[in-house]
Amino acid sequence: MVHYQRYIQLRKAVTVTYLDEEDACVNMSACNKRSKPKLLFFLLFCTLLSSCLLLGPNLLPFPTSLIYPPRAENETPSVSETSPCSSVSNGTICCDRSSIRSDVCFMKGDIRTDSKSFSVFLYTSKNSGTGEKNFRHENIKPYTRKWEPSTMATIDELTLIAKKQNLSLTGDQHKCDVYHDVPAVFFSTGGYTGNVYHEFNDGLIPLYITSQKYNKKVVFVILEYHDWWITKYENLLKHLSDFEPIDFSGDKRTHCFSDAIVGLKIHDELTVDSSLTEGSKTIKDFRDILDKGYRPRIQGLILEEEHEKSQLNKRIKPIRQPEKPKLVIISRNGSREIMNEILLVKMASKIGFSVTVVKPQRTSELAKIYRELNSSDVMVGVHGAAMTHFLFMKPGSVFIQVVPLGTTWAAETYYGEPAKKLGLRYIGYEIVPRESSLYEEYESEDPVLSDPNSVNDRGWEFTKKIYLDRQKVRLNLVRFRKRLIRSYIYTMAKRNGNDMVRSQ
């Protein structure tokens, strides 16, 4: 399940009102006569306000964020335009808190960890100017859901302290136990870790965005460290860092660095913005990391299977058949399951697909899921966290997302648009009320069926209770068959090098 309602509410926070000029004043000449003094005053006020915003925003008695609406996500400016920390001098802590999604702090100089106090110290020979020993103090929760207070309340907080180094003291309180000659990236695996969508969207992709510029010469320092998370993603982590990750709370030694980033950069849902990364990296580059990470394990599985087949072939002579296009169904149990899945499998087989049904679990080996989807031509699944596995598909493949009632915006935002950025051929199949199990519970005129947006507007608890937790899907196979046939034709044409179906 993707936790998205609070962000929807945030996106609705700014309201723009338009006034129809024809309704505003019937007699324009009369309006002009009455309004000239007010217009002059208004223009003068706007001029003064603009000057304040350009020359001295700190002089305003309220934050400028109350004047300007949040920037649309597809209008994100480049790092060089927005980041106050594009250049960090030695002996400095600089925190960029401009993003709605995460805070990121940069430290440069003599950096030392102190897990007991949940602090990271930066020792400097500079004077504070005030006579104080600690002259810079920043608090940060290194997790990428800053806009969600209830989640951030569960995240451990780090204190970053810049203090004057006193050479006359010989105490070993913060003496380096381990010195690292590469930078550090501090982040948390708390929050929604355990949900595959959040593990990729809130963790792994931001980790790639933040650390890729170091070309694996970086140490990961993890708050709320989980052994199972390390085991689950070790195949990927070793392609992001050449070093073992550090458990910040569990490792009581003082680790010393000369450069550190605290917090992770995040661009958008399950994506990498090439305009915001060094080397113009994209989500396809992140997928290359997945491929490198899982390839050795997959090759091992293939060798095991080939050995088993060779033993079987000694007894039974195999009959070679043309390879069919492969369709993978991501299956669910309980909420949002496809109730006529068996019939769907039979129909897809008759069309000409080789069908594989995959049921991801928390304990599922990701390399095996990656293998199935990396070799697939089409993936079908109902909206939910498991749709994150579209990242395992090769660009050019087909992703059909079944969109239950009340989930249209989330399905498109969290999976549809990101899939297109990866280069997949995305098809969103929005079910009609008769395809929903809710059709048996509510009258046809009930807003639950006729106007899901109005139900979603009542709050996250209604969306979750009605559309996410209680809804199942019974596909209209005649209607859905058209999507499968179109996908089959596209796949076969692509195999034959025919581009005529790309415009369909």
Side-chain angles (χ1 to χ4, degrees):
M1 178 176 62
V2 180
H3 299 77
Y4 58 83
Q5 182 64 18
R6 295 184 184 89
Y7 196 48
I8 294 174
Q9 293 173 341
L10 187 62
R11 294 165 70 99
K12 292 181 178 178
V14 178
T15 302
V16 180
T17 303
Y18 295 92
L19 181 66
D20 190 333
E21 291 182 354
E22 293 181 0
D23 294 335
C25 189
V26 176
N27 187 336
M28 290 304 298
S29 60
C31 283
N32 289 336
K33 290 179 182 178
R34 291 195 304 268
S35 62
K36 281 184 179 179
K38 294 182 179 179
L39 178 61
L40 290 174
F41 177 78
F42 176 76
L43 291 174
L44 178 60
F45 173 79
C46 289
T47 302
L48 292 173
L49 180 59
S50 299
S51 300
C52 290
L53 292 175
L54 290 172
L55 300 176
N58 293 330
L59 298 177
L60 291 173
F62 45 83
T64 56
S65 60
L66 297 180
I67 300 175
Y68 299 111
R71 185 183 294 270
E73 292 189 15
N74 60 354
E75 298 176 351
T76 306
S78 67
V79 173
S80 60
E81 292 177 319
T82 62
S83 176
C85 304
S86 56
S87 178
V88 180
S89 60
N90 197 50
T92 301
I93 300 175
C94 181
C95 291
D96 184 352
R97 303 186 186 274
S98 61
S99 171
I100 199 172
R101 294 172 176 265
S102 68
D103 292 333
V104 183
C105 292
F106 303 82
M107 305 176 75
K108 193 175 185 66
D110 183 359
I111 302 165
R112 310 185 190 191
T113 64
D114 182 33
S115 60
K116 293 180 181 178
S117 63
F118 263 79
S119 301
V120 181
F121 290 94
L122 173 64
Y123 289 93
T124 176
S125 58
K126 296 179 181 179
N127 291 315
S128 66
T130 62
E132 297 180 1
K133 293 181 180 180
N134 300 342
F135 55 91
R136 185 66 188 270
H137 187 283
E138 297 280 357
N139 293 325
I140 181 172
K141 294 186 174 187
Y143 191 62
T144 57
R145 297 187 80 80
K146 170 184 171 182
W147 49 270
E148 201 171 65
S150 60
T151 303
M152 296 304 289
T154 69
I155 303 299
D156 289 339
E157 185 175 67
L158 274 179
T159 302
L160 313 182
I161 302 172
K163 63 188 305 181
K164 181 137 177 26
Q165 189 173 28
N166 192 337
L167 299 178
S168 64
L169 296 179
T170 58
D172 292 339
Q173 183 178 359
H174 296 297
K175 181 180 178 181
C176 293
D177 296 313
V178 184
Y179 182 79
H180 304 268
D181 59 359
V182 296
V185 172
F186 292 74
F187 65 97
S188 172
T189 53
Y192 293 128
T193 299
N195 174 295
V196 67
Y197 166 81
H198 292 287
E199 286 173 358
F200 277 87
N201 186 71
D202 304 343
L204 291 169
I205 295 177
L207 182 60
Y208 169 76
I209 291 169
T210 307
S211 65
Q212 58 87 22
K213 67 177 182 178
Y214 295 121
N215 195 27
K216 299 171 62 177
K217 304 304 178 185
V218 60
V219 175
F220 297 145
V221 185
I222 304 176
L223 283 72
E224 299 176 74
Y225 183 103
H226 302 288
D227 289 327
W228 66 262
W229 186 87
I230 298 295
T231 301
K232 184 176 182 179
Y233 293 111
E234 62 182 345
N235 292 335
L236 306 184
L237 294 175
K238 66 184 181 182
H239 287 281
L240 297 177
S241 171
D242 285 334
F243 306 89
E244 290 293 323
I246 296 171
D247 178 357
F248 182 81
S249 301
D251 190 338
K252 303 302 182 183
R253 295 175 298 175
T254 298
H255 290 267
C256 297
F257 305 89
S258 59
D259 200 349
I261 298 177
V262 184
L264 299 178
K265 303 173 186 177
I266 181 171
H267 293 163
D268 206 339
E269 310 303 329
L270 295 174
T271 197
V272 179
D273 188 337
S274 61
S275 69
L276 300 177
T277 58
E278 294 187 17
S280 300
K281 301 296 185 181
T282 69
I283 190 63
K284 294 180 182 179
D285 294 294
F286 173 77
R287 191 191 177 280
D288 288 343
I289 296 294
L290 301 182
D291 199 62
K292 292 175 183 177
Y294 294 130
R295 189 185 304 157
R297 172 59 176 153
I298 291 172
Q299 289 173 342
L301 291 171
I302 293 173
L303 289 175
E304 291 175 9
E305 292 173 3
E306 288 178 348
H307 176 71
E308 293 176 0
K309 286 180 181 179
S310 66
Q311 298 299 316
L312 181 62
N313 292 343
K314 291 178 181 179
R315 301 187 298 270
I316 304 174
K317 188 175 181 179
I319 301 175
R320 298 185 65 86
Q321 296 180 344
E323 186 178 351
K324 297 180 179 180
K326 180 178 178 180
L327 181 145
V328 174
I329 297 175
I330 303 296
S331 182
R332 296 179 62 99
N333 289 325
S335 66
R336 285 166 284 153
E337 71 173 299
I338 299 176
M339 293 188 287
N340 52 348
E341 185 177 282
I342 294 177
L343 295 177
L344 172 62
V345 171
K346 291 181 179 179
M347 181 180 72
S349 299
K350 287 182 179 180
I351 290 173
F353 286 106
S354 171
V355 182
T356 300
V357 178
V358 174
K359 293 186 177 182
Q361 306 292 331
R362 285 192 178 186
T363 56
S364 297
E365 185 179 355
L366 289 181
K368 292 182 178 180
I369 299 176
Y370 184 88
R371 181 190 178 189
E372 293 293 347
L373 290 172
N374 186 54
S375 62
S376 71
D377 298 290
V378 181
M379 181 180 91
V380 174
V382 181
H383 170 68
M387 294 301 94
T388 305
H389 293 111
F390 79 76
L391 292 168
F392 294 1
M393 303 181 74
K394 290 180 179 177
S397 304
V398 180
F399 169 29
I400 304 176
Q401 180 177 203
V402 177
V403 183
L405 298 180
T407 66
T408 302
W409 182 89
E412 180 71 13
T413 301
Y414 293 106
Y415 303 111
E417 285 301 323
K420 296 173 191 175
K421 293 175 183 177
L422 182 60
L424 301 185
R425 189 178 181 87
Y426 173 72
I427 300 174
Y429 178 83
E430 296 184 25
I431 71 170
V432 297
R434 284 182 178 271
E435 293 176 277
S436 171
S437 61
L438 299 175
Y439 189 79
E440 304 296 327
E441 299 181 38
Y442 296 89
E443 298 293 332
S444 60
E445 299 302 319
D446 192 288
V448 168
L449 301 177
S450 62
D451 189 11
N453 287 337
S454 67
V455 178
N456 287 333
D457 287 342
R458 293 165 65 185
W460 160 251
E461 63 276 10
F462 290 94
T463 299
K464 183 177 185 300
K465 180 180 178 181
I466 297 173
Y467 295 121
L468 298 181
D469 293 345
R470 284 171 44 200
Q471 184 173 198
K472 296 183 180 182
V473 173
R474 185 178 297 278
L475 292 173
N476 180 333
L477 295 180
V478 174
R479 180 171 174 249
F480 194 77
R481 186 174 184 271
K482 298 176 183 178
R483 276 72 175 179
L484 291 186
I485 290 177
R486 192 167 52 185
S487 300
Y488 182 85
I489 294 172
Y490 166 78
T491 299
M492 295 305 294
K494 188 177 67 168
R495 286 188 176 189
N496 297 328
N498 190 340
D499 295 333
M500 69 179 182
V501 296
R502 290 188 178 181
S503 61
Q504 293 183 4

